[in-house]
Amino acid sequence: MTETAHPARVTRIGSEADINHALHDARTARVQRLGAVLIQRGTISREQLEQALEALKHHPAMHLGDWLVEKKVITSGQLEEALCSQLGIPQVNLGGFIPPAQVAHLIPYEMALRLNVLPLARRNSVLVVACAKPTDQELLSILRFYTGLGIEPVLASPHQITIAINHAYHVEEGTEAPAHYLRAEDEHLQQEREPEIENQASSAPVVRLVNTLLMQAISRGASDIHFLPRRENVTVRFRLDGALQTIRSIEKAQLQAVVARIKILGRMNIAEHRLPQDGHARVHMGKQEVDLRISVMPTSNGESVVIRILNKEMGLKPLGQLGFSKQDERTIRNLIARAQGMILVTGPTGSGKTTTLYSLLQEVKAADPHIITVEDPVEYDMDGIDQVQVHAGIGYTFGRALRNILRHDPDVIMIGEMRDLETAESGVKAALTGHLVFSTLHTNDAPSAVTRLVDMGVAPYLVSSTVMAVLAQRLVRILCSHCKHRHQPDTLVREALAVDKDETFWHSTGCDHCDQTGFVGRTMAYELIVVDSGMSNQIARGITTEELRALAVKNGMRTLTRHALEMARAGITSLEEAYRVRLEDLGGVS
C-alpha cells in the first residue's frame, strides 16, 4: 500500500476554534513516511530520495532527515516542517492572535522569550503551545515539567512568536512589562543632569519602552537599533540581515527622555546635547549576555542614536560556518597552523571582517597559545585572550600598543585595523619575528590590500616576506527557501554580470517564515589570495593591483564577483544581491 503525503496547510489563527480546527486537520492528514512528505512538499525530488536511501544502506544508524540536512540537500527548517507534517503537528500563522491572559501566564514572560514559545489555549489538562521547534522533545519536557500539563505543540515562525509574545505579555507599549528582565551592569548616573529629563528617563514607561525595544532587537537577531528623529516623530529601525527595517515610531515628545535613558545605560553625560557621544553597556536577557555600543549624534531634528548589538552567541561563529568552500577552509586551517606570518582580511564596514577574525582566533585558541588583541573598540569579550583597547585621546594608539605588546611575549596578535604606517610596520615586524598576525584593511578587493601596504610606506620585500594570504569579503543575504521563486532579473543587472538572457535566477517575495523580508540570514561572498613563492617574488619586485589580480586568477583564485554569481545561480541568493556586492565587471564572459 502506497502512503500519500498531503500538501502543507498553514492555518491562520484568529480564535481558539481555529486552533482546534488546525489540530484536527493535521491529525487527519498524518502520514508515516518522511520521504513521501518531502517529495509532496517539493522539498526534494524522487531521484534525490532514492539516492539518499541508497546511501543510507551504508549508514544504518543514521536517519533520513539527518542525512539530508548533513549533505545540505534540505535545511534544518525544512526538515522541521516535514517532521511536523509527518507527525500531525499543525503549522499556524499567528497573525494578530493574542491568547487569554490566564493562558499566557501559564508560562512566564522571561521563559517564553528565552525558549521562543507562546501558550495559545488550554484544553482541560493539555496546553497548546506555539513553538519554532515543536519536535524538540527536550523543549517539550521542560514545558511539561514547569506547567504540570500535557503539551500539544504547533509550528509557528520564530519571528511571529517573538512579536506575539510581546503583544501577549503587554510589552509593546510598555504598559505592564517586567522591566527587570533586562538589566544593565553598573548603571552609573552622571553628576551633571537636567532634573526634569532625568526624572522622565527614570520613569517606568520610558524604562520599559527602551528595554522592550532592546529585547525585541536581541531576540530577532538585529545587529543595530536606530532612533532617527524626524520633524513630527521618531522612527525606530532595526538592521536585520544587513537591511534596515522600520519597526515603529514614537512621539517626538518622548525623544529627550528616551535618549537620556540610553545615555544613562551607556554612562554618558545626559546634559550634553551639542556634541556627539559614545558609550558602552552590557545587558543580560535571562542568561544571555549582550554588549551594546552606543553612538549619540546631534541633528537638526534632535539627537540621533544608533546602538550596535554585539551578541556573542550569534556573532561568534566557527570557521566552518562562515561560508568557505571545503578547499579554502583547509587552506586557511593550514595557514593559521603556522608559527609566523600575516593574514589580512579586507572589506568595507559591515562586511563581516571582525566575525572572520574572531573565528580565526577561536581556531588557534584551541592550541592554547598566548593571544593578544589590539582593538578599537573591543567588540567581543573572549575568555583566555588578552584584549587591549586603544585610546587615541590619551595617545594610546595602535602603534604604541603594539610596541608594548611585543614585549609581552605573545604567540598570536590580532590588530583591529592597520590605519597608518606605524601600525603596519609594527604588524610586519611582529610577523617577521615569529608571531602569527591577523589584521584588517579597508580596501575593496584582495589584491588592493597588498599594494595598499606598499602605498602606506611598507617596503615591498617586507610585504612579500610576511603576508601569507589576503581575504576580501562581503555579506550577501540568503533567500528564504519558503517563498523564493524563479525570477527574470533586470536587464542592467544581467549585462553588468554578463549572464545569458535565457538564464533564470531566484527571487523571494516575503512570507511569515522570513518576517516578510524574503531573506533569512547572511553568508559570505569572498576572494582569497594565497601568496606562494612565485607571487612573493613578484610582490618584492613591485607589482600593480591589476597585475596581482591577473596573477592570482591564473593561480586559481575565484573572484568575489564570481563567487557571488555562483551563489545566485545556485539559488542561495538573488542576482540583485550579487550585483550589489560585485567588485568588477565580468567583461561579457559568463
Side-chain angles (χ1 to χ4, degrees), residues 398-412:
F398 275 102
R400 182 175 174 182
L402 281 167
R403 288 196 301 272
N404 295 331
I405 281 171
L406 289 174
R407 294 192 290 270
H408 213 64
D409 191 30
D411 298 302
V412 180

Side-chain angles (χ1 to χ4, degrees), residues 19 97-100 102-108 112 117-122 127-130 147 165 168-169:
I19 297 172
F97 177 72
I98 301 176
Q102 65 270 24
V103 172
H105 287 92
L106 289 171
I107 298 176
V117 299
L118 178 69
L120 301 179
R122 181 171 180 176
L127 184 64
V128 181
V129 180
T147 62
I165 287 171
Y169 293 89

Side-chain angles (χ1 to χ4, degrees), residues 265-280:
L265 288 175
R267 292 176 285 179
M268 292 179 276
N269 183 357
I270 68 171
E272 177 57 71
H273 305 288
R274 299 168 299 174
L275 296 174
Q277 294 189 69
D278 293 321
H280 175 269

Side-chain angles (χ1 to χ4, degrees), residues 473-486:
Q473 63 180 73
R474 300 289 189 279
L475 293 177
V476 296
R477 292 179 290 176
I478 301 171
L479 290 171
C480 174
S481 60
H482 297 91
C483 60
K484 74 176 182 181
H485 57 273
R486 292 193 177 277

Side-chain angles (χ1 to χ4, degrees), residues 112 133 233 361 442 484 567 577:
K133 293 185 176 181
N233 56 26
L361 289 179
H442 276 292
K484 74 176 182 181
M567 288 194 287
E577 278 290 287

Side-chain angles (χ1 to χ4, degrees), residues 18 91 95 107 132 141 201 240 268 327 394 434 446 514 518 526 571:
D18 293 332
Q91 185 176 345
I107 298 176
S141 296
L240 296 161
M268 292 179 276
Q327 180 180 344
I394 60 173
C514 58
Y526 68 92

Side-chain angles (χ1 to χ4, degrees), residues 17 43 53 68 106 112 173 286 392 444:
T43 308
L53 294 174
L68 291 170
L106 289 171
E173 297 300 328
N444 285 328

Side-chain angles (χ1 to χ4, degrees), residues 80 84 89-90 129 131-137 139-140 153-156:
E80 187 75 29
C84 288
I89 298 172
V129 180
C131 314
K133 293 185 176 181
T135 62
D136 185 340
Q137 292 304 311
L139 170 66
L140 300 182
V154 300
L155 174 66

